[in-house]
Amino acid sequence: MPTMSKRSLFLAGGAALLAAALPVATRAQAQSVKNRALFQVTDNDPARWNMILNNMQNLREGVAGEPVEIALVAYGPGVNMLKGDSPVKQRIAEALKSGVKVNACQNTMNGMGLKAADMLPEIGYVPSGVVEVMRKQQQGWAYIRS
Amino acid sequence: MPTMSKRSLFLAGGAALLAAALPVATRAQAQSVKNRALFQVTDNDPARWNMILNNMQNLREGVAGEPVEIALVAYGPGVNMLKGDSPVKQRIAEALKSGVKVNACQNTMNGMGLKAADMLPEIGYVPSGVVEVMRKQQQGWAYIRS
Amino acid sequence: MPTMSKRSLFLAGGAALLAAALPVATRAQAQSVKNRALFQVTDNDPARWNMILNNMQNLREGVAGEPVEIALVAYGPGVNMLKGDSPVKQRIAEALKSGVKVNACQNTMNGMGLKAADMLPEIGYVPSGVVEVMRKQQQGWAYIRS
């Protein structure tokens, strides 16, 4: 037994180290295989928004039966398209209804003097659009700059 | 021995758990170190296409002796540049010859009433450009939106 | 004891295999949780540069007390904004002072006949902007194409 025991002890020590690291590795992997895509929109241009809204619909339909999480974050000039009088408000309502998360950057809104009351109903908010873009990628979301 | 044995058993149990998770972590890592880049092109603009074709060549040359996989996916207005009469068809032929994979989005083609016969020879097709962009990132490809 | 010992030996063998693979998985994870963002700039447009410089500042402030590494790589027409007479040179100096790394693509500079003496002081250089974009993503940096 002595030889085997020393071996077990040695290797088990390695396993303890591994056990500490594993939850993290497992979580990273679990994230990387999910269908999750973040669309960044920084343009104030209805044609581009319509293209992006088409893209989001194509993504949802293109994965067929698979679950997919789709989010859009607007910052900079892109925030204009989420105002109450947005020329694409009907399509944004449809996207929200289909489960897409649509968020406006509060940093940008502050800079433009916009409040939630000025914006489309049912959209969400993030403190900073650019921080959101970094965080979501860190969490394994695909990034799409249309 | 009893103390050590209990310890081995405890830790070995952790190792069994780890063994189940490992192939996955190893695969994720293997992917992340490969040189693989996907260029997304959604613009119908020869100047931008020429820049992207330059970028792909610079990428191939910039990794010198290392293997590198380079793919381009065109969707939305970008698909126009892959039609048979494309103003950049000569350069696309060169890119294909150098090993770059060039794919057009079939979703977009359907919307524009385009068939394979209307397109440049030797290009490939993907059902959905935006799904391709998400999938490739999930598989560890770098994403380049030029 | 024999049963337990065989079990330990078996599992410990698995652990040895795991131990060989782990440093890699751990490194990948360590990378993925850091706040690191690379901004790609390929436009020669002061308005867009000002937006990107704002975005970088918002990112730095938006993570509050957390450490964050921010880098910018300019290539193609974007390199013009890093020349000595850049209309955004004051803001680039401020970004550099705040810790942002600003790099120009030497491939592009060669194509435009530019030398370091023509460029803003204190910026850095990378052999190829597009290679830099791929490498940083491989290393776990978030990618932001503003």
Side-chain angles (χ1 to χ4, degrees):
Chain A
M1 268 309 288
T3 308
M4 185 185 295
S5 297
K6 274 183 200 158
R7 183 192 168 104
S8 316
L9 185 63
F10 170 72
L11 293 167
L17 219 74
L18 287 163
L22 188 71
V24 148
T26 308
R27 190 168 62 241
Q29 172 60 20
Q31 289 171 347
S32 70
V33 297
K34 280 190 198 163
N35 292 322
R36 300 190 296 184
L38 175 67
F39 290 76
Q40 167 193 311
V41 198
T42 44
D43 300 289
N44 180 15
D45 172 0
R48 187 167 286 273
W49 273 78
N50 276 313
M51 189 182 84
I52 291 162
L53 289 156
N54 289 343
N55 290 345
M56 293 195 298
Q57 196 175 331
N58 289 339
L59 178 56
R60 197 170 54 250
E61 295 170 0
V63 294
E66 298 175 31
V68 59
E69 286 180 78
I70 304 176
L72 177 155
V73 61
Y75 63 94
V79 163
N80 286 295
M81 287 285 145
L82 297 180
K83 293 199 297 193
D85 58 356
S86 168
V88 291
K89 67 180 174 183
Q90 186 53 42
R91 293 211 59 197
I92 289 169
E94 289 164 14
L96 286 162
K97 211 168 169 178
S98 76
V100 171
K101 297 276 181 295
V102 177
N103 287 312
C105 168
Q106 289 175 318
N107 252 352
T108 303
M109 288 172 58
N110 291 342
M112 296 169 69
L114 292 170
K115 299 192 185 321
D118 302 314
M119 310 301 286
L120 289 171
E122 294 174 45
I123 66 164
Y125 300 92
V126 291
S128 162
V130 72
V131 171
E132 180 76 358
V133 167
M134 182 183 70
R135 297 274 193 232
K136 283 262 193 286
Q137 288 184 68
Q138 288 173 331
Q139 294 162 10
W141 289 62
Y143 167 63
I144 302 178
R145 166 61 167 87
S146 286
Chain B
M1 267 310 286
T3 307
M4 185 186 294
S5 297
K6 273 182 199 157
R7 183 193 167 103
S8 315
L9 185 63
F10 170 73
L11 292 167
L17 218 75
L18 287 164
L22 188 71
V24 148
T26 308
R27 191 169 60 241
Q29 172 58 22
Q31 288 170 348
S32 71
V33 297
K34 280 191 198 163
N35 292 323
R36 300 190 296 184
L38 175 68
F39 289 77
Q40 167 193 311
V41 198
T42 45
D43 299 289
N44 179 15
D45 173 359
R48 186 167 287 274
W49 273 78
N50 275 313
M51 190 182 83
I52 291 161
L53 289 157
N54 290 342
N55 290 344
M56 292 194 299
Q57 196 175 331
N58 288 338
L59 178 57
R60 197 171 54 251
E61 295 170 0
V63 294
E66 298 177 31
V68 59
E69 287 181 77
I70 303 176
L72 177 155
V73 61
Y75 62 95
V79 163
N80 285 296
M81 288 285 144
L82 296 180
K83 293 199 297 193
D85 58 356
S86 169
V88 292
K89 66 181 175 183
Q90 186 53 41
R91 293 212 59 196
I92 288 170
E94 289 164 15
L96 286 162
K97 210 168 170 179
S98 77
V100 171
K101 297 276 180 296
V102 177
N103 287 313
C105 168
Q106 289 175 318
N107 253 352
T108 303
M109 287 172 59
N110 291 343
M112 297 169 69
L114 292 171
K115 298 190 186 323
D118 303 314
M119 310 301 285
L120 288 172
E122 293 174 45
I123 66 165
Y125 301 92
V126 290
S128 162
V130 73
V131 171
E132 179 76 358
V133 167
M134 182 183 70
R135 298 273 193 233
K136 283 263 193 285
Q137 288 185 66
Q138 289 173 331
Q139 294 162 11
W141 289 61
Y143 167 63
I144 302 178
R145 166 61 167 87
S146 286
Chain C
M1 270 308 289
T3 307
M4 185 186 295
S5 296
K6 275 184 198 156
R7 182 191 169 104
S8 315
L9 185 62
F10 170 73
L11 292 168
L17 220 73
L18 287 165
L22 188 71
V24 149
T26 308
R27 189 168 61 241
Q29 172 60 20
Q31 289 170 347
S32 70
V33 297
K34 280 190 200 164
N35 292 322
R36 301 190 296 184
L38 175 68
F39 290 77
Q40 166 194 311
V41 197
T42 45
D43 299 289
N44 179 15
D45 172 0
R48 187 167 287 273
W49 272 78
N50 275 314
M51 189 182 84
I52 291 162
L53 290 157
N54 289 343
N55 290 345
M56 292 195 299
Q57 195 175 331
N58 289 338
L59 178 57
R60 197 170 55 250
E61 295 170 0
V63 294
E66 298 176 31
V68 59
E69 286 180 78
I70 303 176
L72 178 155
V73 62
Y75 62 94
V79 163
N80 286 295
M81 287 285 144
L82 296 180
K83 293 199 297 195
D85 58 356
S86 168
V88 292
K89 67 180 174 182
Q90 186 52 43
R91 294 211 59 195
I92 289 170
E94 289 163 15
L96 286 163
K97 210 169 170 179
S98 77
V100 171
K101 298 275 181 295
V102 177
N103 287 312
C105 168
Q106 289 176 317
N107 252 352
T108 303
M109 288 172 58
N110 292 343
M112 297 169 69
L114 291 170
K115 299 193 185 320
D118 303 313
M119 310 301 285
L120 288 172
E122 294 173 44
I123 65 165
Y125 300 92
V126 291
S128 162
V130 72
V131 171
E132 179 75 359
V133 167
M134 182 183 70
R135 297 273 194 233
K136 283 263 193 285
Q137 288 185 67
Q138 288 173 331
Q139 294 162 11
W141 289 62
Y143 166 63
I144 301 178
R145 166 60 167 87
S146 285

